[in-house]
Amino acid sequence: MTERPLTDGLRVEVLETSSLGDRSYLATDGRRAVVVDPQRDIDRIVAAAGRLGVQIALVLETHVHNDYVSGGLELARLTGAEYGIAAADDAPFEHLPLRDGDLLEVTDRLRVRVVATPGHTFHHLSYALEDAGEPIGVFTGGSLLYGTTGRTDLLGTEHSEVLARHQYQSARKLADLLPAGARIWPTHGFGSFCSATQASGDSSTIGEQRSVNPALSLAEHDFVETTLSGLDAYPAYYAHMGIRNITGPEPVDLRAPAEATPAELAERLGRGEWVVDLRSRKAYVDSHLAGTISLGLDGPMATWLGWMIEWGSPITLVGESSEQIADAQRELVRIGIDRPAAAATGQPAELAADESQLVSTMTATFTDLAAALDGEPGARPNADVVLDVRTNNEWRASHVDGAVHIPLYELADRIDEVPAGSVWVHCGSGYRAAAAASLLESAGSTVVAVDDAFGAAQSSGVALTAGA
């Protein structure tokens, strides 16, 4: 995604990582560039700088990220750029320690002013982009987002209220410091679990946020109360990211993994290892190897895999092509899963050690579920159990009356809590339901995956209720 030039001399290039709900940025005056919050696969950023014909002179971190491994240190090493992070983080590697009010003059017209904006973390920084001394926008990281702010509980729930109060003050500090027309460039908020609530919009200004952002429209007490009450669980792998970033991540290794034969795949599945099928869930339910887990590349594969596995467990990737394996590796290194144990490519029939490994998964819609709950005969098993694998907040907002709730990220550890009988499993769209169905099948359950949007449930005749 490329933004139009902001002035006759400055432009901001946006590098999206939609699978993690994050953005990195490259700001340039046409000669030199500043990069903010780079993801670990820095070749994308180097390519963008090459396409624009600019030199990366400065790499900045708004905070020590919880949701991904940063590429900042390696990008600075590779390009010779200065690497700026909060002085208070006291990083052990060579860096430029930054404090509130510091002015970083990259060129005579490209300047960045450091603004301390604690809230998402204690040492969080934002960076106001100036053109010849005039502020034209601000890189807000996990501070002021589009219609929300970054969550405040990632350092532990014991800090969440204090950080929420900091977040409120930081948002107002930015609004007071910058003109109404200044652009906002957040790192989080595009589906990231780092945002306190769902962000809205694809671009914004300080002036727009003054009227729509709770941090700028509510009283402090109300903002803090609303923020804390809306927080839900976040991916378990977040616990490993900050430590990795502050100690200095090593360069990525995206070489192809060792190739697994059908016999080796069978052995890994027999040992109960994670063998991940990267194909779409439509292809998966039609035919797959028994025991594989459906986490297609058409959804947030890395987020859910990193959330569900025991950290450090061997992972084998199965896809239709070497390109799918490479894409999955790139997704996984962003959250610190560096080297898959093995990989295999081909169709299930080609990868099966024998035909008994080939299985399929029954699917249905919410209309089918309504019929099954009413006792109407059909080709699918009875709906003895309706299992909802959505998040806690989704469940509280609305759920199928009488359903069992186990979020997907807890299902592997709580699978023995699923009642006996035929299980109809659903989520919000079908992606998580397919993953849950694969786990349930591996545990021996009879499963029907509801491949449908939850928004269709009520109109399909399924009785819904709300609350815990």
Side-chain angles (χ1 to χ4, degrees), residues 289-363:
L289 299 182
T292 56
I293 306 301
S294 174
L295 286 170
L297 283 169
D298 54 346
M301 177 273 299
T303 294
W304 289 110
L305 179 58
W307 201 337
M308 291 192 292
I309 63 166
E310 182 179 348
W311 200 250
S313 301
I315 296 168
T316 298
L317 303 175
V318 176
E320 293 172 319
S321 65
S322 57
E323 288 77 16
Q324 282 191 339
I325 302 299
D327 288 346
Q329 281 185 266
R330 184 176 289 269
E331 295 281 358
L332 292 173
V333 297
R334 291 170 179 159
I335 65 166
I337 299 176
D338 285 5
R339 294 298 297 166
T345 58
Q347 295 302 316
E350 300 171 308
L351 299 176
D354 60 68
E355 288 188 4
S356 66
Q357 277 191 283
L358 296 175
V359 294
S360 59
T361 302
M362 288 178 283
T363 61

Side-chain angles (χ1 to χ4, degrees), residues 225-249:
E225 187 175 81
T226 301
T227 297
L228 297 183
S229 65
L231 294 174
D232 204 345
Y234 54 83
Y237 69 80
Y238 277 24
H240 305 278
M241 300 300 97
I243 297 170
R244 191 86 171 264
N245 287 327
I246 200 62
T247 55

Side-chain angles (χ1 to χ4, degrees), residues 14-210:
V14 183
L15 295 100
E16 294 191 83
T17 306
S18 57
S19 58
L20 294 178
D22 286 296
R23 289 180 176 179
S24 303
Y25 299 93
L26 183 150
T28 180
D29 65 351
R31 294 186 295 123
R32 307 188 83 193
V34 177
V35 173
V36 181
D37 289 344
Q39 287 273 337
R40 197 178 182 200
D41 49 327
I42 59 173
D43 54 333
R44 295 185 296 161
I45 299 166
V46 173
R51 174 170 48 81
L52 296 172
V54 298
Q55 176 193 1
I56 297 173
L58 181 62
V59 179
L60 299 173
E61 300 282 7
T62 57
H63 59 296
V64 177
H65 293 273
N66 293 88
D67 63 332
Y68 62 78
V69 180
S70 171
L73 181 60
E74 182 60 17
L75 183 61
R77 286 171 175 163
L78 181 66
T79 62
E82 288 193 282
Y83 185 36
I85 64 174
D89 282 327
D90 196 25
F93 45 79
E94 184 177 347
H95 64 281
L96 179 65
L98 300 177
R99 299 172 178 82
D100 186 44
D102 285 351
L103 180 62
L104 309 174
E105 299 190 62
V106 182
T107 68
D108 55 351
R109 69 177 310 170
L110 175 59
R111 307 196 308 182
V112 175
R113 192 173 300 275
V114 180
V115 184
T117 49
H120 191 46
T121 64
F122 281 105
H123 306 149
H124 190 284
L125 302 175
S126 295
Y127 300 103
L129 180 66
E130 297 183 357
D131 181 4
E134 293 297 320
I136 57 174
V138 58
F139 301 102
T140 57
S143 184
L144 188 64
L145 312 183
Y146 297 152
T148 185
T149 55
R151 64 190 302 156
T152 64
D153 61 336
L154 296 182
L155 301 182
T157 54
E158 67 271 23
H159 301 301
S160 57
E161 182 175 349
V162 170
L163 284 171
R165 297 187 185 282
H166 284 317
Q167 191 74 294
Y168 180 83
Q169 297 298 333
S170 291
R172 289 175 171 254
K173 178 180 181 180
L174 289 172
D176 291 341
L177 183 67
L178 297 162
R183 297 287 299 274
I184 296 172
W185 298 294
T187 301
H188 303 318
F190 311 96
S192 168
F193 283 94
C194 274
S195 58
T197 58
Q198 185 63 44
S200 59
D202 196 56
S203 63
S204 191
T205 63
I206 289 290
E208 290 172 356
Q209 290 304 301
R210 284 195 180 115

